[in-house]
């Protein structure tokens, strides 16, 4: 069975739990004591990922690291509908890759601030991390606002969300744990509410399910 | 000693857990903050943990700024003042068949009393820890007892019962779980809950809060369990999952400091222990992390 080297409080691991749940793929979590045990830096774990980072998957002997790379792999392999990663559209693939890279920048900023505040990663320059996250959220918010104006619900054009939405979601919705308020990003708020209503959505610690009041986008914009 | 920013003599004269002993293995100097006072700690050549009020000079060393140290429950504790009493006891910690595990130390942007109050509150289980510590429709908090032990100077809430889908890492299904809560220190609490694996005995979970300042803390979580099945990682991560769910709730409570004015009390059953806690803090004159009752 597919094995996910997993840590509950990791937003990068959560990206994969989300996609696997959306696709209904069975997997087994191998729990890693990321904190306080630092097990991802142990010699044993570095045999699996020399970078000493989570997440990693092992799918029948194929070992892959990096959440975004794994999203590409899992969607290509296990989504027969082809909607989460539409392999036949060069335009969409380009845009998805662009936002996957953007998601890694969210990790480098918003996630870093959260590690600083919650888990005492004291070497992180938290003010710089927060400022960087705000710059990214401003870009994402504007992008989503204009997408909504075009009648689009998701980061990349089309009826269906893609792995770009999955990659950007966790550390955006967890940003407050790093002291990064999202009050100034209403389009991000509406997008994350829509995201939470995707069938198969699961939560992680710190992320709550969508509220009962279904927010109609057009009303919210008006 | 430098002049302290914290002017609350009650808070100053308490013992505080600062770090698990497993984090202080070598001569590396680590830093933290207690009641707005920067501190540093290390293990010296003699093998003892030393803690001092840190001034940030190169080669900063304890000198005359050394602080008292005690080792208890797998952590070292210190104080900025002169506590009249020893650290409260947790007798179960010494029982031979227990697994004593440090679950984590987490930073939380909330006041210490807000954490204690959340820890005492069973009412949030079904909504915040859905399908783990509670589930609808089992939302009722049944009648329980609260007393303040004068002799031990601590709050005791007993006969608390709650139906839980997955009370601990070792659970194999839902169960009615009995709880007892102690508050033996303004910023620490210890709970006892029925052990899924050992009938008639309790698992113990304790939180020891180290206030950085009035609205930011570090919470150290100790587990003392009767569980031969789970490995340390499973036990740890189970507790972290729970706490990760509480964290955003705690950080979004306003006001951040706990209001002690009796008019701020909400008289519902779930809050009986919270009301006792607030009154106990008022009675002690605790001023740190709270909004004192207006005269
Ligand atoms: N680009 C990587 C970043 C992964 C990453 O930052 N993982 C965190 C846990 S969520 C980690 O393992 N950090 C340890 C480190 O980077 O040293 C990805 O997206 O998977
Ligand atoms: Fe909770």
């Amino acid at each position: 069975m597919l094995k996910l080297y997993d840590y509950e409080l990791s937003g990068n691991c959560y990206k994969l739990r989300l996609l696997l749940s959306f696709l209904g793929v069975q997997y087994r979590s191998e729990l890693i004591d990321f904190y306080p045990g630092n097990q991802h830096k142990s010699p044993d774990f570095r045999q699996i990922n020399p970078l000493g980072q989570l997440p990693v998957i092992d799918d029948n002997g194929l070992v892959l690291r990096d959440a975004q790379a794994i999203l590409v792999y899992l969607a290509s392999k296990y989504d027969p509908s082809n909607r989460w990663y539409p392999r036949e559209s060069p335009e969409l693939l380009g845009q998805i890759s662009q936002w996957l890279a953007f998601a890694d920048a969210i990790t480098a900023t918003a996630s870093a601030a959260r590690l600083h505040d919650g888990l005492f990663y004291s070497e992180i320059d938290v003010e710089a991390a927060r400022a960087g996250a705000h710059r990214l959220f401003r870009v994402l918010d504007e992008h989503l606002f204009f997408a909504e104006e075009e009648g689009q619900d998701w980061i990349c054009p089309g009826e269906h969300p893609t792995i770009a939405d999955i990659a950007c979601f966790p550390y955006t919705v967890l940003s407050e744990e790093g002291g990064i308020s999202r009050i100034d990003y209403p389009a991000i708020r509406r997008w994350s509410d829509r995201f939470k209503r995707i069938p198969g959505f699961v939560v992680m610690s710190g992320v709550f399910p969508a509220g009962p009041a279904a927010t109609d986008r057009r009303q919210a914009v008006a | 000693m430098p002049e302290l920013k914290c002017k609350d003599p009650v808070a100053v004269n308490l013992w505080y857990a600062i770090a698990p002993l497993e984090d202080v293995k070598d001569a590396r100097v680590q830093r933290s903050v207690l009641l707005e006072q920067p501190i540093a700690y290390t293990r010296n050549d003699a093998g003892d943990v030393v803690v001092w009020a840190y001034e940030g000079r190169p080669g900063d060393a304890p000198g005359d700024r050394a602080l008292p140290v005690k080792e208890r429950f797998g952590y070292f504790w210190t104080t900025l003042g002169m506590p009249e009493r020893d650290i409260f006891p947790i007798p179960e910690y010494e029982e031979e068949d227990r697994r004593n595990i440090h679950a984590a130390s987490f930073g939380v942007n909330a006041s210490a009393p807000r954490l204690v109050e959340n820890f005492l509150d069973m009412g949030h289980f079904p909504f915040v820890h859905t399908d783990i510590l509670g589930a609808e429709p089992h939302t009722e908090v049944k009648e329980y007892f609260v007393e303040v032990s004068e002799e031990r100077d601590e709050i005791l809430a007993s006969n608390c019962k709650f139906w839980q889908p997955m009370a601990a890492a070792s659970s194999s299904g839902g169960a009615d779980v009995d709880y007892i809560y102690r508050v033996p220190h303004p910023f620490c609490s210890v709970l006892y809950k029925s052990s899924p694996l050992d009938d008639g005995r309790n698992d113990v979970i304790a939180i020891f809060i180290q206030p950085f300042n009035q609205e930011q803390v570090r919470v150290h979580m100790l587990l003392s369990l009767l569980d031969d099945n789970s490995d340390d990682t499973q036990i740890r991560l189970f507790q972290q999952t729970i706490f990760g769910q509480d964290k955003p709730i705690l950080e979004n409570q306003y006001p951040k400091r706990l209001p002690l004015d009796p008019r701020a009390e909400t008289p519902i059953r779930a809050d009986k222990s919270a009301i006792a806690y607030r009154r106990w803090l008022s009675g002690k004159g605790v001023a740190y992390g709270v909004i004192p009752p207006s005269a």
Side-chain angles (χ1 to χ4, degrees):
Chain A
M1 200 194 301
L2 175 68
K3 178 155 81 175
L4 170 63
Y5 293 89
D6 199 6
Y7 176 63
E8 166 70 19
L9 302 183
S10 155
N12 276 320
C13 295
Y14 178 44
K15 295 173 189 178
L16 307 182
R17 296 195 295 265
L18 278 167
L19 179 61
L20 291 164
S21 172
F22 290 142
L23 296 178
V25 173
Q26 298 287 316
Y27 67 100
R28 189 170 70 75
S29 277
E30 169 109 4
L31 299 181
I32 298 298
D33 185 355
F34 181 90
Y35 180 84
N38 239 354
Q39 193 188 343
H40 58 300
K41 301 295 184 199
S42 67
D44 279 354
F45 192 79
R46 281 188 196 274
Q47 300 279 319
I48 300 165
N49 179 2
L51 300 183
Q53 289 182 332
L54 290 176
V56 176
I57 59 159
D58 182 336
D59 193 12
N60 257 317
L62 174 69
V63 177
L64 278 180
R65 61 169 181 259
D66 191 284
Q68 288 62 236
I70 300 168
L71 287 173
V72 167
Y73 168 73
L74 292 175
S76 306
K77 178 138 186 178
Y78 293 110
D79 175 22
S81 81
N82 229 353
R83 292 180 302 188
W84 287 99
Y85 190 65
R87 297 196 296 280
E88 73 297 341
S89 165
E91 289 74 20
L92 267 177
L93 290 186
Q95 293 178 63
I96 290 172
S97 297
Q98 167 185 300
W99 290 104
L100 294 182
F102 188 88
D104 221 11
I106 298 177
T107 301
T109 52
S111 162
R114 174 171 172 265
L115 291 173
H116 174 277
D117 282 16
L119 310 187
F120 315 106
Y121 280 51
S122 47
E123 72 283 7
I124 285 167
D125 179 347
V126 69
E127 289 310 326
R130 289 189 187 123
H134 278 296
R135 280 193 298 274
L136 297 170
F137 288 168
R138 170 62 51 228
V139 171
L140 180 60
D141 191 68
E142 281 184 15
H143 173 78
L144 288 166
F145 174 84
F146 286 114
E148 285 178 342
E149 294 283 285
E150 305 277 312
Q152 298 287 332
D153 278 346
W154 308 111
I155 292 181
C156 295
E159 289 294 302
H160 197 270
T162 65
I163 58 171
D165 297 284
I166 298 177
C168 290
F169 178 78
Y171 289 120
T172 301
V173 290
L174 291 167
S175 72
E176 250 130 24
E177 292 191 9
I180 302 157
S181 163
R182 292 186 310 283
I183 192 127
D184 293 329
Y185 312 113
I188 289 183
R189 206 163 54 236
R190 293 191 296 275
W191 163 78
S192 55
D193 279 345
R194 292 195 289 277
F195 188 92
K196 291 178 176 183
R197 293 196 166 77
I198 300 172
F201 174 78
V202 287
V203 294
M204 68 169 266
S205 290
V207 177
F208 288 93
T215 46
D216 183 81
R217 189 184 78 230
R218 270 154 246 294
Q219 271 176 0
V221 176
Chain B
M1 272 290 285
E3 199 190 331
L4 295 177
K5 290 223 179 74
C6 171
K7 301 297 177 203
D8 174 1
V10 183
V12 166
N13 288 306
L14 292 170
W15 288 102
Y16 293 94
I18 304 298
L21 291 168
E22 62 217 43
D23 275 8
V24 208
K25 287 206 194 104
D26 52 31
R28 196 159 49 98
V29 173
Q30 304 188 60
R31 292 175 53 188
S32 192
V33 177
L34 175 62
L35 304 171
E36 294 155 74
Q37 172 61 49
I39 57 175
Y41 52 92
T42 189
R43 197 173 280 278
N44 67 14
D45 295 339
D48 299 318
V49 175
V50 284
V51 187
W52 67 99
Y54 184 78
E55 283 186 343
R57 287 180 277 114
D60 199 277
D64 57 356
R65 285 168 287 117
L67 298 171
V69 179
K70 281 186 196 241
E71 296 187 8
R72 206 60 64 81
F73 317 131
Y75 300 82
F76 76 83
W77 299 60
T78 193
T79 178
L80 301 176
M82 294 200 284
E84 280 170 20
R85 301 173 56 208
D86 191 5
I87 300 163
F88 54 89
I90 307 179
E92 294 74 13
Y93 184 85
E94 308 297 338
E95 292 172 3
E96 284 201 348
D97 55 348
R98 281 185 181 269
R99 305 269 297 278
N100 291 321
I101 297 173
H102 163 62
S105 304
F106 283 129
V108 191
N109 290 314
S111 64
R114 288 278 189 198
L115 264 82
V116 172
E117 205 174 86
N118 177 73
F119 193 70
L120 298 177
D121 168 36
M122 288 184 290
H124 77 281
F125 288 170
F127 309 105
V128 178
H129 309 298
T130 313
D131 299 334
I132 308 177
L133 300 186
E136 292 184 273
H138 308 274
T139 57
E140 192 199 359
V141 176
K142 300 189 191 73
E143 186 59 39
Y144 60 94
F145 307 124
V146 180
E147 59 183 310
V148 178
S149 155
E150 300 291 335
E151 178 208 336
R152 296 200 305 196
D153 190 22
E154 68 175 62
I155 299 173
L156 195 69
S158 56
N159 195 39
C160 316
K161 286 184 192 304
F162 214 82
W163 187 84
Q164 301 199 318
M166 187 158 178
S170 59
S171 299
S172 48
D176 270 311
V177 182
D178 294 309
Y179 273 76
I180 297 169
Y181 291 95
R182 293 170 56 197
V183 187
H185 176 298
F187 308 133
C188 297
S189 185
V190 186
L191 75 74
Y192 298 75
K193 65 186 290 186
S194 330
S195 162
L197 295 184
D198 199 333
D199 235 15
R201 291 177 73 198
N202 288 319
D203 284 340
V204 181
I205 304 176
I207 57 167
F208 309 134
I209 304 166
Q210 170 195 349
F212 290 154
N213 57 50
Q214 299 206 55
E215 300 183 356
Q216 292 180 308
V217 306
R218 164 153 94 169
V219 57
H220 309 282
M221 290 187 288
L222 169 71
L223 304 171
S224 182
L225 309 184
L226 300 157
D227 178 349
D228 304 324
N229 291 358
S230 320
D231 62 36
D232 282 11
T233 300
Q234 285 169 314
I235 291 173
R236 241 179 196 168
L237 300 198
F238 180 85
Q239 187 59 28
Q240 294 189 13
T241 297
I242 304 290
F243 191 76
Q245 294 169 333
D246 286 315
K247 192 167 186 277
I249 309 276
L250 291 163
E251 295 184 332
N252 281 301
Q253 280 181 326
Y254 292 96
K256 288 214 165 273
R257 300 180 198 192
L258 188 69
L260 295 188
D261 191 317
R263 283 164 299 181
E265 291 173 1
T266 43
I268 59 170
R269 184 186 293 163
D271 287 349
K272 201 161 132 185
S273 52
I275 290 170
Y277 174 58
R278 292 182 187 203
R279 289 185 185 160
W280 186 68
L281 291 180
S282 282
K284 288 182 166 307
V286 171
Y288 209 71
V290 302
I291 302 172
S294 42

